[in-house]
């Protein structure tokens, strides 16, 4: 059995303003458009996620909601965790390792640099820095989620938000 992991960097957020904490930043209007376009693109490729897990930071969770809307995934089913905001790459591997085994298409929405580092760790990719709204797809052959670790995945694609 092949399992697929989609690692998503949140779409473009509002600029940092000194009186807002970084965690509280939301998507900009452009970011909302990016996430919607990316969702439509992924839908056109036939992606149907079994589970979406997002950072609880507003910009990441909004990205997850917009992607989910385009992919036919209920907003109410999106799981969120603060760990994907500031937990480092270790929180990403813990999230994957604890995914339900009946899930074959797992999407994680988070932040850089952790999202890029995590992709490199799993599939020995050389993605310098994921673009905002970008999605990396990694496949795992004959592994349970709990067995996923360094260089056990196969890089499939790196998609960026379409410009249409």
């Amino acid at each position: 059995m092949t399992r697929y992991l989609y690692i998503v960097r949140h779409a473009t957020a509002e600029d940092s303003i000194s009186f807002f904490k970084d965690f509280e930043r939301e998507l900009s209007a452009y970011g909302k458009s990016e996430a919607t376009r990316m969702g439509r693109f992924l839908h056109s490729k036939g992606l149907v996620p079994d589970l979406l897990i997002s950072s609880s930071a507003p910009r990441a969770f909004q990205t997850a909601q917009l992607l989910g809307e385009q992919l036919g995934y209920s907003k109410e089913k999106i799981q969120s965790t603060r760990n994907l905001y500031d937990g480092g790459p270790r929180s990403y591997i813990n999230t994957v390792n604890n995914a339900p085994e009946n899930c074959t298409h797992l999407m994680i929405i988070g932040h850089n640099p952790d999202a890029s580092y995590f992709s490199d760790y799993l599939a020995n990719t050389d993605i310098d820095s994921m673009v905002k709204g970008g999605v990396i797809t990694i496949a795992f052959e004959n592994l349970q989620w709990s067995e996923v670790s360094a260089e056990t995945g196969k890089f499939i694609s790196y998609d960026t938000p379409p410009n249409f």
Side-chain angles (χ1 to χ4, degrees), residues 69-142:
E69 183 178 302
Q70 298 302 312
L71 296 170
Y73 192 90
S74 170
K75 291 178 185 181
E76 292 76 29
K77 290 174 50 181
I78 298 171
Q79 296 179 16
S80 68
T81 177
R82 172 83 184 217
N83 292 338
L84 291 175
Y85 171 72
D86 58 3
R90 184 177 306 264
S91 66
Y92 283 71
I93 193 66
N94 287 338
T95 299
V96 170
N97 288 160
N98 289 301
E101 294 305 334
N102 64 346
C103 171
T104 57
H105 293 268
L106 173 62
M107 181 176 280
I108 294 178
I109 300 89
H111 309 267
N112 248 7
D114 296 343
S116 295
Y117 293 157
F118 187 54
S119 300
D120 291 345
Y121 171 78
L122 292 179
N124 198 24
T125 62
D126 193 18
I127 304 294
D128 182 37
S129 180
M130 289 177 70
V131 300
K132 294 172 183 164
V135 179
I136 293 177
T137 304
I138 299 173
F140 301 91
E141 287 290 332
N142 302 313

Side-chain angles (χ1 to χ4, degrees), residues 22-27 54-65 111:
D22 180 68
F23 180 84
E24 297 169 351
R25 292 172 45 220
E26 297 188 359
L27 289 181
S54 174
S55 158
S56 57
R59 61 189 180 273
F61 196 73
Q62 290 169 334
T63 300
Q65 289 176 316
H111 309 267

